Amino acid sequence: MSAEKTREKEKVSVPTHVAVIMDGNGRWAAERGLPRLAGHKAGAEAVTRCLRAAVARGVDYLTLYAFSSENWSREPQEVSDLTSLMRYYLRHKIAGLHQEGVRIRFIGDLSRFDSDLRVELDRAEKLTSKNTRITLLLALSYGGRGDIVQAAQRLALSVQRGEMAAEQITELEFSQHLWTSGVPDPDVVVRTSGEYRLSNFLLWQSAYAELVFLDVFWPDFNERHFAAVLDHYARRERRFGVRPSA
């Protein structure tokens, strides 16, 4: 059997799209008597491990909840630390990801970031736009409710302008106006740190996703945890609301 056919066989139980709520940076740092910034830096290293694991296992899309819309209400110093980390990785890590064939997309209300950071985000997307090895979506200033609202507003404006009729708004049409337009819905949503909620992440897109909750802080997440997620997924029968046969 060729290597290509072997890979395709292995991908039968591998999700196309994995989405992760990266939680626990602050508590990881607190347990070690470290500042929260140390937790965020350690969390950034976990992103690298997660991405490598996703590539190795043949996942096509990986979405990471990096900065929620609610994060703007944190202490100004922590927000500043987080955006500084973004700038560092955008300036020093994107070239390496590009060489590895990673396509990068950012989803969320990016208008809330300073103009210089938005320039960096745009540059990263354009640089990697032709890559096909894996698509990495980073949710920045993202909220699931806000995503739904902005899609509804855009559709309402189209109806108001006479570009479409209200009855033409279908689920498919609606999904094409979300920030994740063009990306398949996640097959599995993972949350670390032992919390059991979605926290306003991909609310529309996760309607039929398998949910996996791990009792590990995000900075400790590694390839073994990623393998456990895929094992959970492979053992679940996805019915999409269809009644199982007798």
Side-chain angles (χ1 to χ4, degrees):
M1 183 180 293
S2 69
E4 182 178 353
K5 288 184 178 180
T6 298
R7 183 173 181 274
E8 288 303 314
K9 183 176 181 179
E10 291 174 346
K11 285 193 65 176
V12 170
S13 60
V14 173
T16 297
H17 184 177
V18 175
V20 184
I21 302 171
M22 307 181 296
D23 192 25
N25 291 350
R27 280 170 285 169
W28 181 92
E31 284 190 355
R32 290 159 177 76
L34 299 172
R36 291 180 67 85
L37 178 58
H40 294 312
K41 288 181 177 178
E45 295 305 314
V47 167
T48 299
R49 294 193 295 270
C50 183
L51 178 59
R52 287 176 178 169
V55 170
R57 297 300 292 268
V59 172
D60 294 321
Y61 296 87
L62 176 66
T63 299
L64 303 178
Y65 202 9
F67 189 93
S68 74
S69 54
E70 289 80 9
N71 285 162
W72 289 108
S73 64
R74 293 189 177 185
E75 292 295 325
Q77 183 59 54
E78 184 173 5
V79 173
S80 177
D81 288 341
L82 286 167
T83 53
S84 293
L85 271 179
M86 290 180 205
R87 287 185 176 87
Y88 174 81
Y89 278 91
L90 285 166
R91 293 170 182 171
H92 299 282
K93 302 295 184 179
I94 297 301
L97 294 177
H98 176 49
Q99 292 177 351
E100 294 176 16
V102 179
R103 180 191 179 199
I104 300 173
R105 277 187 58 178
F106 301 101
I107 58 173
D109 183 8
L110 305 182
S111 67
R112 298 189 66 177
F113 292 111
D114 291 340
S115 59
D116 67 311
L117 183 54
R118 295 200 305 272
V119 168
E120 296 283 355
L121 296 172
D122 184 61
R123 181 181 295 123
E125 284 195 332
K126 289 179 178 177
L127 176 66
T128 64
S129 63
K130 304 298 183 182
N131 294 338
T132 58
R133 192 173 188 186
I134 189 173
T135 297
L136 172 64
L137 292 94
L138 294 173
L140 302 176
S141 188
Y142 179 87
R145 289 180 175 180
D147 194 3
I148 292 169
V149 167
Q150 67 83 28
Q153 290 173 335
R154 291 168 60 192
L155 284 164
L157 187 59
S158 293
V159 173
Q160 186 180 51
R161 290 172 173 171
E163 298 168 354
M164 65 185 304
E167 55 269 22
Q168 292 178 291
I169 301 176
T170 62
E171 290 187 12
L172 177 60
E173 183 70 29
F174 194 92
S175 67
Q176 292 173 346
H177 287 76
L178 295 169
W179 283 317
T180 51
S181 176
V183 175
D185 290 343
D187 301 292
V188 57
V189 175
V190 184
R191 180 168 187 152
T192 60
S193 86
E195 301 292 345
Y196 295 84
R197 56 181 180 272
L198 290 177
S199 293
N200 203 21
F201 181 55
L202 298 180
L203 299 181
W204 174 282
Q205 299 89 335
S206 298
Y208 291 103
E210 301 293 333
L211 305 179
V212 178
F213 300 99
L214 300 177
D215 191 16
V216 57
F217 292 142
W218 176 248
D220 291 326
F221 187 91
N222 57 33
E223 293 82 357
R224 177 173 56 83
H225 297 110
F226 195 88
V229 168
L230 298 195
D231 183 58
H232 276 292
Y233 177 82
R235 288 187 283 108
R236 293 183 182 179
E237 180 183 354
R238 306 186 76 205
R239 300 194 180 99
F240 300 96
V242 178
R243 182 190 299 271
S245 58

